[in-house]
Each structure stands twice: as C-alpha cells, then as structure tokens.
C-alpha cells in the first residue's frame, strides 16, 4: 500500500518562530483534505494542522480504499513514525464524525506501541463506540436504502439519485468509509488515558450533546464538552478550528510543564454555546 502524504496547514509561527504543537486531523466519511483546507490561519499562531486523508480520495483517489482497523493502522504508519521520531513535540488528535473513531483508534494504538501520547484527543460529531451509530450501521444496506438513510440525516445532497455523478463517485467512498467506522467501533477495546474534548453541533441529528457525553466512559482523563453552532458538518464553520487552536495551545503549555491536562486544567477560553 502506498504511504499517505499528509497535508500540513500551518498557522503563523509562535513567538519562538517554531510550531509549538501539531494538530493531526481526520475527516468525516467521504471527505479528504478539503475538510481542513481553510484551517491554516483559523487555528491561530503556533499550531500546525495536518490532515491525513485516507486512500480513495483527493490525491490518493487511485489507491484502494480501506475498511478495517489493520489497514488503517498500516496506512497511518508515517504518523506513528513521526510521533516516535519527535517525542519532544506535543500533539493533538482531532477526528470529525467517522474521523472521531479514527482518532480514538490511533490514540489506543499509540498507547499499545508505548509511543508518546497525545496531549489531547478531540472528537467532533461522533458518538462513542458503544452508542448507536445510524450511518455506520447502514453501510451494508442496498444502494436505495442506504441513500434513504443518508438523506434522512442530511448526509446526502438534495436530489441525489441512483446513477448520477454523486452516486457514482462519492457514494462508494462514503459506504467504505462507514464500513471502516463500523469495524473500528466493533474493535474498540477500552478507554484512553488522556484528556478528551467532545464537540457537537447545536443542530446535529446524528450526534447530539447527549450522545457526545458518552465519551466520558471512554477515557480515564478529564472530559470537556462544547457545543458549536451548526449541524453534523459544523467542521465547515469558523468556530471549530478556533476552538481547537486554543485547545492545542493550552495542551502545548501543559506539555511544557511535563504533564497531561488533568482536572485542574481547561482550554484557554470558554467557547460560545454550551460548555460542560
């Protein structure tokens, strides 16, 4: 399998002229680099937002898509190597929707490999592994039924029909991404040992605040919850990268003091919307 070429979207340098913390991003089902393309300045100073697109999309569209945990971890080997080679560099993992299960899986695998742990794992628009997941559970349905489920939750464009361009080009990628999400959820085997930030959209019908609260069961670290404006794809709005930039800078400061975020630490400002 070809090695993934991640894309870095780097904000302005911090006071020292060096990137203080890396923010590794994993997109929602069907998406790639474009999900984070506008994050370069939005994350703010001292943060490097790097997206890790999976095979079968964007520059990797000719590569076979992956649908299992084993394939995912093999594909993300360069990320593990980077973490191992730069133990002094603090980093944060963020995953949106399907990407949330990827972020959790990567964090668990890093711990199993005894590699430096993320200062923070951030999950957006993604129920925890033990909660119902309407989209992932529909991945094996026939096309017409699968499309109906996507439309019900606003995950398909209005007017999409069998045989059209979206159906031919996007639906197969989306289906395999959800198969991967289902495999990752099934393979989830225990809590993380790092702080976790859980973010939901105020109008999200797939992963609301109550669903995101379930991530409390999936880490022994502190959990902070935030609600941002928008539906399931609030990743496209300006609020999320600003929130994650602040959280990443806070994580970097805490890492410099030699410990993870604990119950006495918080993000460096309170976001508009619900915070618990």
């Amino acid at each position: 399998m070809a090695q993934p070429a991640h894309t870095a979207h780097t904000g302005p340098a911090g006071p020292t002229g060096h990137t203080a913390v890396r923010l590794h991003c994993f997109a929602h089902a069907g998406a790639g680099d474009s999900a984070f393309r506008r994050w370069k300045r939005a994350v703010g100073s001292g943060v490097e937002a790097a997206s890790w697109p999976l095979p079968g999309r964007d520059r990797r569209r000719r590569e076979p898509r992956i649908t299992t945990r084993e394939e995912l971890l093999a594909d993300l080997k360069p990320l593990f190597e980077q973490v191992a080679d730069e133990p002094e560099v603090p980093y944060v993992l963020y995953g949106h929707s399907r990407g949330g299960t990827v972020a959790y899986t990567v964090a668990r695998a890093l711990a199993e490999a005894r590699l430096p742990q993320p200062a923070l794992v951030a999950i957006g628009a993604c129920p925890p592994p033990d909660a119902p997941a309407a989209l992932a559970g529909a991945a094996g349905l026939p096309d017409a039924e699968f499309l109906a489920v996507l439309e019900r939750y606003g995950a398909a464009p209005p007017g999409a029909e069998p045989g059209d361009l979206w159906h031919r080009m996007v639906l197969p990628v989306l289906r395999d991404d959800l198969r991967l999400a289902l495999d990752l959820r099934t393979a989830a085997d225990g809590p993380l040992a790092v702080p976790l930030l859980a973010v939901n959209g105020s109008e999200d019908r797939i992963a609301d605040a109550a669903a995101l609260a379930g991530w409390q069961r999936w880490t022994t670290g502190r959990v902070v919850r935030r609600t941002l404006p928008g539906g399931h794809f609030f990743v496209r709005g300006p609020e999320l990268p600003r929130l994650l930039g602040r959280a990443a800078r806070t994580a970097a400061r805490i890492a410099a003091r030699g410990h993870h975020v604990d119950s006495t630490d918080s993000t460096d400002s309170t976001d508009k919307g619900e915070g618990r």
Side-chain angles (χ1 to χ4, degrees), residues 29 135-136 139 146 150 173-183:
L135 296 186
F146 183 45
L150 296 177
V173 178
L174 187 56
R175 184 189 289 277
D176 279 349
D177 281 357
L178 292 175
R179 284 177 173 139
L180 171 62
L182 186 59
D183 189 73

Side-chain angles (χ1 to χ4, degrees), residues 27-31 35 39 94 96-98 124-125 135 150 153-157 166 174 178 200-207 228-241:
H28 51 279
W39 284 29
Y94 175 70
H96 194 84
S97 192
R98 184 287 312 267
L135 296 186
L150 296 177
Y153 291 101
W166 185 89
L174 187 56
L178 292 175
N200 70 280
S202 59
E203 301 174 20
D204 191 351
R205 291 177 290 167
I206 299 174
L228 296 181
H232 191 65
F233 299 105
F234 62 86
V235 65
R236 298 167 181 162
E239 296 86 2
L240 180 61

Side-chain angles (χ1 to χ4, degrees), residues 142-229:
D143 280 0
E145 296 177 41
F146 183 45
L147 186 57
V149 173
L150 296 177
E151 290 175 340
R152 186 183 314 149
Y153 291 101
E161 298 180 356
D164 64 13
L165 182 62
W166 185 89
H167 191 277
R168 295 195 309 271
M169 302 299 293
V170 180
L171 191 63
V173 178
L174 187 56
R175 184 189 289 277
D176 279 349
D177 281 357
L178 292 175
R179 284 177 173 139
L180 171 62
L182 186 59
D183 189 73
L184 298 182
R185 295 171 70 82
T186 302
D189 59 356
L192 305 176
V194 298
L196 190 145
L197 171 63
V199 190
N200 70 280
S202 59
E203 301 174 20
D204 191 351
R205 291 177 290 167
I206 299 174
D208 60 15
L212 269 291
W215 280 103
Q216 183 73 53
R217 300 186 296 273
W218 288 87
T219 183
T220 59
R222 186 192 182 205
V223 174
V224 174
R225 293 164 55 195
R226 293 288 182 266
T227 296
L228 296 181

